[in-house]
Structure formats: structure tokens, C-alpha cells
Amino acid sequence: MQTGLHWIDYLLIIVSILGTIYMGIYFSKRQKSSEDYFAGGGGIPSWAIGMSIFATLISSVTFLAYPSAAYKSNWILLVQGLMVPIILVCMIWVIVPLFRRVIGLSTYEYFEKRFGFFARLYSSLAFVLTHFSKMGTVLYLVSLALSSMMEVNIFMVIGVLTFVIIVLTLLGGIEAVIWMDVIQGFLLIGGGVFCLILLLWVPEGGPQRVMEEAINMKKIGFGPYDIDFTQLTFIVMVVNGIFYAIQKYGTDQTIVQRYLTARNDHEAKKAAYLGVFLSVPVWTLFMLIGSLLFVFYQISGTALPAGTTVDAVFPYFIMTELPPGVTGLVLSALAAAAISSLDSDMNCLAAVGVEDYYKRFNPNCSTHQKLKVGRILVLIAGLAAAFVAVLYVLWQGEGVLGAVFGLYAIFSAGIVGIFLLGLLSRRANKEGLYIGIGVCVLFTAYALLTSTPISFGGGEKSLLLDLGQYNFSQHKYMLGVYSHLIVLIVGYIASLFFKRPKADANLTIYGYFKEKKNVEKISQFS
């Protein structure tokens, strides 16, 4: 049993870092315009885009959180991911052609064309604030894990990762991001598969005994199955997963921007399917690793150190049970998962900043000006993420940041509701939507403030607003679901009180059916 890194491990980690920097420098030569920088010239093959979507969805938090969740409980968190392919099959045939036809680059251009400027501003700000807070959190969590495993100062890890991600994204644009995601995706899969093989074959009795023990110990399952929305149950994860899938594939710039890099609609759809159908098996892989880790430490005779937390079990296994070289590959995969998630966020935040804000104040800007501003925004986004990660370290956890990010959630709720309202109804109008958003913001503020304890200055956590029996008592995953439903339902009903012409069918699902009908008529006469 090894307790530290071998020189081969360090070498592999250094090579992976240098390789990432090289990719940014290599693709920098192709970034001649903002179209190249943000959309790759619209000529990237579907399989590479699909791998990039996969790598973006599988973040380093998934790498660490899924095994710890399965180790602690079972596979209930996987239910959310299992809903994604179901929703994708139902919606991708209309979402991809809609965005490729209607928008230039920003997802939120669709919201403006459907409901006016405020809808675009609200939705794009929601994306910016959500992903800004996510970037800092992901960078902190992966840096914390890597620093403890490698016994390196956490500020050094944050600095190195930030530098590498900025160089890759700032210089190479979306093309470097996508092709680096391809490499990092294979690295992630390889690291997970090796850990799985070890957990299946090392314990006495082999895979058959290990799997039998996992089932007997109830580490493989999706329960509880109660119809209860106050606890983490199967039904809560199903409902949450439905809206997660729509949000990710219908409103998230990091995914929608990938559609625009494909050569045509067919290639974009193939990429979307590939991304999902790669993600689900890998999510399952890391859940299985968590279940088998529990079995491993029960039957192998190897004991965990006293005081080992659930989140520290997988990192401990990596550092003590994997052979030299493989440990380095897995740590590189962990870093790669963070890079794949953060480089996509940075490029897409810059795209939204250029398209939704810079162009509005400078409508006659050239493509070279947009390219320059885009790179500046990438740099700012990267430094801001590092700043948040450093604050996490200095404040030893969430603290004030938890309250700030909670406020973000209040004023960025209901995005899926806006999208569905625009997509499914021609009668819905901006006045009705604004009322829906207003009600949604009030509800989200009430639910969040009465259900989420916050700690300031390291003191005891407490509610910012305590209404006793009238506090929001549903599980936190239901908060997002309710916010989307409020915008959808209230927005539609309120729209009926305002006389407006019906929306352009091409901005709704009815445009797809109309176009399909016309194509069928033409084919009949040809």
C-alpha cells in the first residue's frame, strides 16, 4: 500500500498540464474572428462535439460526489441523470433546429425574440450568476481534493489550474475547448474503469461476490419510493431530473453553443445524443465505484483511518490502492474533469457577455473587436473564479458566499418555465411572462430564506427568515421545479388578460410541425 505519489505520477500530471497549455497555443492560430472563437467556424465533427458535451456534463464534482453519495446511501442521485435521455429524445428534434435557425450565438437571443429585451436580460444574467458561482465552487472543491491528496498548498493548486484553464480558453477558443474535452473525456473514462476493475477483482471471491455483497448491503438501488416531496425520494429525483434535462439542453449556453459548432442540424442532433448516451454510463460507473468502495472496506480486511469522512473515502482509495502511474492518471483525470467544466463555462460566459451586452452598447462593432472583448471576458471570468475559490479557502467553507449565491438563486429562478412558455404557447406574451417572473421571484425568496440555514463568521447556522410552521418544508430539489412551474402556469394565465397578436409560429414548437407538414406536401408532388 503506497501512501504518497511516485515520481511517475508527478510526471504524468505535469505532462497533462503541459499538454493542455499546448492545445491552447496550437488552436490560437485559427482564431481569426469571433465566429471562430465562439463557434469554431461551424465545422467541428459531431463525435467531437458529443465528447465535449459529455466532458462538460461530467465535472470533477461528479467524479468525487457520486462515489461518496453511493458509499453513504445508494444510487438515488443517478435518477436525475437517467431522466436526461428520455427528455432529450422527446425534445431534441425541435430544440436543435430552432436554435440553429433563430439565434446567432447567444441562447438568450431566443428569449428576446419571443418575449422582449427583459426576458433576455433576466435569462442571460441568470446564466452568468449561476455559472459564476458554480465555477468558483468547482475550482475550490477540486483544488481542496488535489491539495490534500498530493500534499501541496491549496493556493498553488488553485493558481496552476486557473492559469492552465485561462491559457487554454483565452488562446484556443471553443475549438481548443472541444478537442481538449475529447482527450479529457477519454482520460476520465479510463481512470474510472481502472478503479472499477480493481474494486471488482482485488477482493477475494471476485466480481460475483462483490456484486452480491453490494446488493445484499442495499448499496445498489434508487429508493426510497415513497410519494413524499419533503424527503429525497425517487419521485423527487424524477421530477427534478425532467426539469434538469430541459434546463441543460434547452436553456444552458454551454450546451446550446455546441449545437452551433456543428456542420448542420443532423450533426448537432447526433452530438447531443452522443453526449447524453456517454454521460449516463459514466454517471453509473462512478455510482458503482461508490457502492463497491463500501463493499471493499467491509470485506477486504483493509481499514479506513479513524475519522475518515464519506467524501474522503475515494481519494484515500486512489492514494493507497492504485499502483504508481495509475494514480497519476486518475489525478490527471480529476483535474481534467474540472478543466472540461470550467473551460466551457469561461468560453460561454464570454460569448454571452459579447452577444448580450457588448453588442447592445456597440452594435456596429467588428468581428475583431468582439474577439478582443471575448478574450478579455475569458480572463476576467477565470480570475473571478479563482477569487471565489480563494475566498472559500480563507473563510473555510460557504459562509457569506452561501448567502450571496442564495440571492443569485432568488433572482435567476424559473428559466425553464420561460423557455417552455415560449416554446409551447403562441398566446403567451411578455406582459404575462413578467407577472409570472415576479410571482416566481417572490416565491423563491420565501422558500429559500425560510429553508436554508446560513452561517456568518463561522458561527452557528440559522435561517434568515423563520416563519415557524409556514417555512418552506419541501426538499430543496423541489424549489427549482416549483419556480419553473410558477413561471409557466402564472405566465400563461396572466397572458390571457393582455390582448396581443399570436407569436410567430417559427419561434414555437408549431413552427416545426408547420415546416414538417410543408416538407411532406412537397415530397408528395415531387
Side-chain angles (χ1 to χ4, degrees):
M1 180 178 75
Q2 68 176 67
T3 56
L5 291 180
H6 192 274
W7 68 266
I8 296 177
D9 300 317
Y10 284 111
L11 178 62
L12 289 170
I13 294 169
I14 291 171
V15 168
S16 70
I17 290 172
L18 294 178
T20 303
I21 294 173
Y22 171 77
M23 289 290 280
I25 296 172
Y26 176 79
F27 282 101
S28 65
K29 304 169 187 176
R30 305 189 188 188
Q31 311 310 309
K32 306 297 183 184
S33 67
S34 59
E35 289 76 17
D36 294 329
Y37 193 67
F38 293 121
I44 299 175
S46 60
W47 68 268
I49 300 170
M51 280 293 294
S52 179
I53 291 174
F54 153 72
T56 300
L57 292 174
I58 306 291
S59 71
S60 55
V61 175
T62 302
F63 195 104
L64 296 171
Y66 271 39
S68 65
Y71 184 94
K72 181 180 180 181
S73 177
N74 59 13
W75 293 13
I76 190 169
L77 292 184
L78 182 61
V79 175
Q80 182 190 66
L82 296 178
M83 298 310 298
V84 175
I86 298 173
I87 299 302
L88 188 67
V89 168
C90 296
M91 295 193 67
I92 202 67
W93 43 271
V94 65
I95 290 177
V96 165
L98 173 69
F99 280 122
R100 285 179 60 87
R101 182 177 66 246
V102 169
I103 69 173
L105 179 63
S106 170
T107 307
Y108 313 106
E109 184 180 342
Y110 168 75
F111 289 75
E112 179 176 15
K113 290 184 176 180
R114 186 62 186 83
F115 292 116
F117 172 65
F118 176 76
R120 181 174 187 171
L121 178 66
Y122 180 84
S123 55
S124 66
L125 273 177
F127 170 79
V128 170
L129 295 177
T130 301
H131 281 260
F132 168 70
S133 59
K134 171 202 158 191
M135 285 171 62
T137 304
V138 168
L139 183 57
Y140 164 70
L141 291 175
V142 73
S143 298
L144 183 64
L146 288 172
S147 67
S148 64
M149 295 163 75
M150 298 172 63
E151 298 181 349
V152 176
N153 182 279
I154 188 170
F155 294 110
M156 181 182 295
V157 178
I158 291 173
V160 170
L161 284 178
T162 302
F163 174 76
V164 170
I165 297 166
I166 288 177
V167 169
L168 172 69
T169 314
L170 188 146
L171 296 181
I174 193 67
E175 199 170 4
V177 167
I178 287 176
W179 285 109
M180 198 66 224
D181 284 352
V182 171
I183 297 171
Q184 290 162 345
F186 283 117
L187 192 62
L188 183 68
I189 294 171
V193 168
F194 193 93
C195 290
L196 177 65
I197 291 172
L198 213 62
L199 288 165
L200 284 172
W201 267 273
V202 167
E204 188 178 343
Q208 183 176 350
R209 184 195 173 197
V210 169
M211 292 303 296
E212 287 175 354
E213 293 287 352
I215 294 170
N216 292 336
M217 294 175 183
K218 297 183 179 179
K219 304 307 295 182
I220 298 177
F222 301 99
Y225 298 99
D226 305 325
I227 306 300
D228 182 358
F229 294 100
T230 65
Q231 305 295 325
L232 184 62
T233 59
F234 180 80
I235 187 66
V236 166
M237 291 307 298
V238 167
V239 176
N240 178 263
I242 291 170
F243 284 91
Y244 166 79
I246 299 171
Q247 180 269 328
K248 207 67 185 172
Y249 279 84
T251 72
D252 195 308
Q253 180 72 20
T254 59
I255 301 298
V256 174
Q257 192 171 327
R258 298 299 198 279
Y259 304 155
L260 308 180
T261 64
R263 293 164 182 157
N264 51 53
D265 289 2
H266 179 68
E267 292 285 295
K269 291 176 187 176
K270 280 171 58 180
Y273 285 126
L274 179 61
V276 168
F277 290 111
L278 279 173
S279 298
V280 172
V282 174
W283 283 328
T284 306
L285 168 66
F286 282 96
M287 279 291 180
L288 182 57
I289 286 173
S291 299
L292 300 188
L293 279 170
F294 186 88
V295 175
F296 179 83
Y297 286 110
Q298 293 293 320
I299 70 174
S300 67
T302 303
L304 289 167
T308 303
T309 63
V310 169
D311 293 333
V313 173
F314 190 32
Y316 178 78
F317 175 84
I318 292 171
M319 295 303 298
T320 58
E321 300 295 337
L322 299 185
V326 176
T327 302
L329 284 175
V330 173
L331 291 180
S332 298
L334 175 57
I339 293 170
S340 296
S341 176
L342 296 174
D343 60 11
S344 297
D345 285 339
M346 286 167 55
N347 184 272
C348 294
L349 283 170
V352 168
V354 169
E355 288 294 309
D356 291 350
Y357 300 97
Y358 177 69
K359 273 182 65 176
R360 186 164 293 274
F361 293 106
N362 189 10
N364 298 319
C365 59
S366 67
T367 185
H368 294 292
Q369 287 175 314
K370 289 189 288 183
L371 175 60
K372 182 178 179 180
V373 171
R375 282 180 159 153
I376 292 172
L377 291 176
V378 164
L379 177 61
I380 292 172
L383 294 177
F387 177 71
V388 171
V390 168
L391 288 182
Y392 269 122
V393 177
L394 296 176
W395 293 344
Q396 298 181 344
E398 265 190 9
V400 177
L401 288 177
V404 173
F405 295 158
L407 292 175
Y408 289 173
I410 292 173
F411 295 104
S412 62
I415 302 302
V416 173
I418 301 175
F419 177 68
L420 291 177
L421 189 63
L423 185 69
L424 301 178
S425 172
R426 294 184 63 192
R427 296 193 64 179
N429 51 55
K430 64 180 182 180
E431 291 85 0
L433 172 67
Y434 297 166
I435 293 173
I437 290 176
V439 174
C440 172
V441 168
L442 290 175
F443 167 79
T444 307
Y446 148 75
L448 201 65
L449 296 177
T450 61
S451 65
T452 309
I454 299 293
S455 171
F456 293 95
E460 186 177 343
K461 288 187 175 184
S462 61
L463 295 174
L464 293 177
L465 178 64
D466 191 346
L467 300 178
Q469 62 177 330
Y470 299 107
N471 287 345
F472 181 77
S473 59
Q474 302 278 289
H475 191 273
K476 63 181 180 180
Y477 287 168
M478 293 304 297
L479 174 55
V481 172
Y482 293 145
S483 71
H484 301 315
L485 288 174
I486 286 172
V487 171
L488 178 62
I489 296 170
V490 174
Y492 178 77
I493 294 174
S495 294
L496 301 179
F497 292 92
F498 299 92
K499 290 186 178 181
R500 284 270 186 176
K502 286 187 176 182
D504 183 354
N506 291 324
L507 296 176
T508 69
I509 195 172
Y510 305 104
Y512 170 82
F513 289 121
K514 182 180 177 182
E515 184 177 343
K516 186 177 180 182
K517 193 174 181 180
N518 291 336
V519 170
E520 290 174 352
K521 284 182 179 179
I522 293 172
S523 63
Q524 287 176 357
F525 290 102
S526 60

